[in-house]
Amino acid sequence: MNAQTNETTLTDTPLASRKFVYEALPMRVRFGAGTLSTLPEELDAIGLARVLVLCSPEQEDTGQRVAQALGTRCVGVLPEAVMHVPSEVAQRASEEAARVGADGCVAVGGGSAIGLGKAIALQHGLPIVAVPTTYAGSEMTPVWGLTTDGRKETGRDPRVLPRSVVYDPELSATLPVPMSVTSGINAIAHAVEALYAPDATPIISLMAEEGVRALATALPAIAADGTDPAARSEALYGSWLCGACLGATTMSLHHKLCHALGGTLNLPHAQTHTVVLPHALAFNQPAAPEATAALSRALGGAPDPAARLWQIAEELDAPRSLAELGMQEEDIERIAEEVTSRSYGNPRPVTYEDARALLRAAWAGEAPSAHPGA
Ligand code: NAD
């Protein structure tokens, strides 16, 4: 910075000493209130004439609404999507897609419905059109997951990346406020880890910062009025950006912890992300100054983004302890072991003792700290 002119000089920018690889994922997006009515046009644009609609049992009405809008382009509705894609459900859905002669799937709902579409795409290569109604972000990633005998396996495959995404904020207006808040913080978690990812790029970092800003602005407005159309639009826009961050980078400690807690203990996905994020971020902040500065800007100048996220969870009545999500104290060591048994990129090295202390603080609902247990 030039002190006299107060201007940033070129040598101040991180690009001066940085090399990176950026690969854009092929992605078509329609965004806007009421865009569900353009779904038939979207299917025509990508050449799909016989789609199977996928949704969860709780959202069967929405699935039927979509089927009606599609008319003869829809060959069935399968309301069987559940969290973490059990392999028997994936198998049944793949058989149903083959039986009705589907040439693609329309997945309407959260990560569970989109995950089921991905399982079918993995087996048959059928293209997916995603219509997300939560903020989880799966529609923006080539990442699939399948759970067999209580063990969740995940992988990347370009065939499971949706061909097209229709973001209609009106569909998310029915998402209950508590789920909206935790789902939004789940999205923020993708952006947080993208900012300090080993394969972070300036392009994705721009999306991450803007995604966090959008969600941090929208979530209090949704908590005040879940039907506020402007807040729903802003939140869905933020979740799109954060989902793109998840699809483009490698996740670190926070996602490893949540993967282990969800897969091994079956804790609820979005709520687990909400509780763990301030703790994982507080731990990583000292080793990630650029990410911390970006998050600070996105959170309205908060000097300690991890502490601010913890405070936001309190302000919005979100869960702040793993104990209240049903985790038993004796499971702390098992998860710490699981998370540190394999190495992965993280800005700060994580020992078994670090993971155990972090989990204990998150389990007990203590304030996040860079040195948990100290
Ligand atoms: P979800 O899809 O299970 O939805 C949670 C509940 O909310 C369901 O009962 C659903 O029917 C209901 N719901 C969804 N939208 C609604 C709406 N608008 N109105 C009323 N009810 C609504 O939960 P999720 O958090 O979106 O997704 C979690 C799953 O997605 C997990 O299995 C997670 O692992 C996976 N996921 C995968 C990726 C990826 O890239 N592969 C990314 C994020 C999440």
Side-chain angles (χ1 to χ4, degrees):
M1 183 88 77
N2 181 325
Q4 269 162 2
T5 62
N6 217 22
E7 279 171 3
T8 303
T9 65
L10 277 175
T11 45
D12 288 328
T13 68
L15 279 185
S17 57
R18 206 157 154 195
K19 294 182 178 68
F20 57 88
V21 175
Y22 172 69
E23 188 180 347
L25 293 173
M27 181 63 70
R28 200 182 138 84
V29 170
R30 278 188 188 235
F31 187 97
T35 36
L36 181 63
S37 64
T38 65
L39 193 54
E41 279 168 47
E42 193 55 24
L43 294 194
D44 292 348
I46 56 177
L48 297 180
R50 296 178 58 79
V51 294
L52 180 63
V53 173
L54 308 168
C55 59
S56 67
E58 298 85 0
Q59 285 187 287
E60 189 170 356
D61 284 357
T62 312
Q64 294 295 353
R65 228 178 99 198
V66 169
Q68 253 180 5
L70 292 176
T72 54
R73 295 176 185 85
C74 174
V75 291
V77 177
L78 193 70
E80 293 195 20
V82 289
M83 196 86 81
H84 304 312
V85 198
S87 45
E88 58 281 9
V89 176
Q91 188 53 34
R92 222 173 25 249
S94 293
E95 284 164 10
E96 182 62 8
R99 191 187 68 76
V100 297
D103 61 4
C105 292
V106 171
V108 191
S112 299
I114 296 164
L116 187 56
K118 288 178 169 184
I120 298 174
L122 201 58
Q123 193 157 342
H124 296 304
L126 295 188
I128 304 167
V129 174
V131 185
T133 64
T134 73
Y135 306 130
S138 177
E139 68 281 358
M140 281 289 141
T141 83
V143 178
W144 54 267
L146 270 178
T147 305
T148 312
D149 300 328
R151 277 198 76 84
K152 187 164 177 182
E153 191 195 349
T154 58
R156 279 182 178 253
D157 191 313
R159 284 178 307 165
V160 311
L161 181 73
R163 277 280 291 283
S164 168
V165 181
V166 174
Y167 282 115
D168 185 341
E170 284 177 1
L171 291 173
S172 57
T174 52
L175 190 66
V177 164
M179 180 68 196
S180 302
V181 168
T182 54
S183 191
I185 297 175
N186 179 193
I188 289 176
H190 307 328
V192 165
E193 296 234 288
L195 282 164
Y196 55 59
D199 44 6
T201 67
I203 315 297
I204 293 299
S205 296
L206 279 174
M207 291 189 182
E209 189 173 330
E210 173 65 355
V212 174
R213 185 210 55 75
L215 280 157
T217 310
L219 294 182
I222 288 174
D225 175 5
T227 62
D228 178 346
R232 287 295 183 180
S233 294
E234 190 73 1
L236 204 57
Y237 161 70
S239 85
W240 164 13
L241 296 174
C242 294
C245 293
L246 176 67
T249 55
T250 308
M251 297 287 109
S252 303
L253 174 65
H254 169 77
H255 281 74
K256 301 290 171 207
L257 285 163
C258 293
H259 182 89
L261 290 162
T264 308
L265 305 179
N266 204 24
L267 296 191
H269 180 80
Q271 293 89 327
T272 303
H273 274 267
T274 300
V275 173
V276 173
L277 182 61
H279 296 274
L281 178 59
F283 182 82
N284 278 335
Q285 274 178 178
E290 265 183 53
T292 306
L295 289 167
S296 172
R297 287 190 297 271
L299 294 170
D304 179 344
R308 179 66 194 127
L309 287 172
W310 200 63
Q311 196 183 20
I312 287 174
E314 184 183 34
E315 288 165 5
L316 302 184
D317 262 340
R320 290 208 298 178
S321 79
L322 293 173
E324 70 187 284
L325 301 184
M327 182 184 182
Q328 303 299 314
E329 191 173 4
E330 54 267 28
D331 287 324
I332 290 174
E333 298 194 347
R334 190 174 150 203
I335 301 296
E337 177 71 45
E338 197 176 321
V339 161
T340 49
S341 60
R342 268 184 266 165
S343 67
Y344 46 86
N346 192 63
R348 188 175 159 193
V350 190
T351 63
Y352 167 78
E353 285 71 27
D354 292 332
R356 190 179 57 181
L358 188 160
L359 281 162
R360 168 163 290 285
W363 175 81
E366 289 166 10
S369 157
H371 304 285

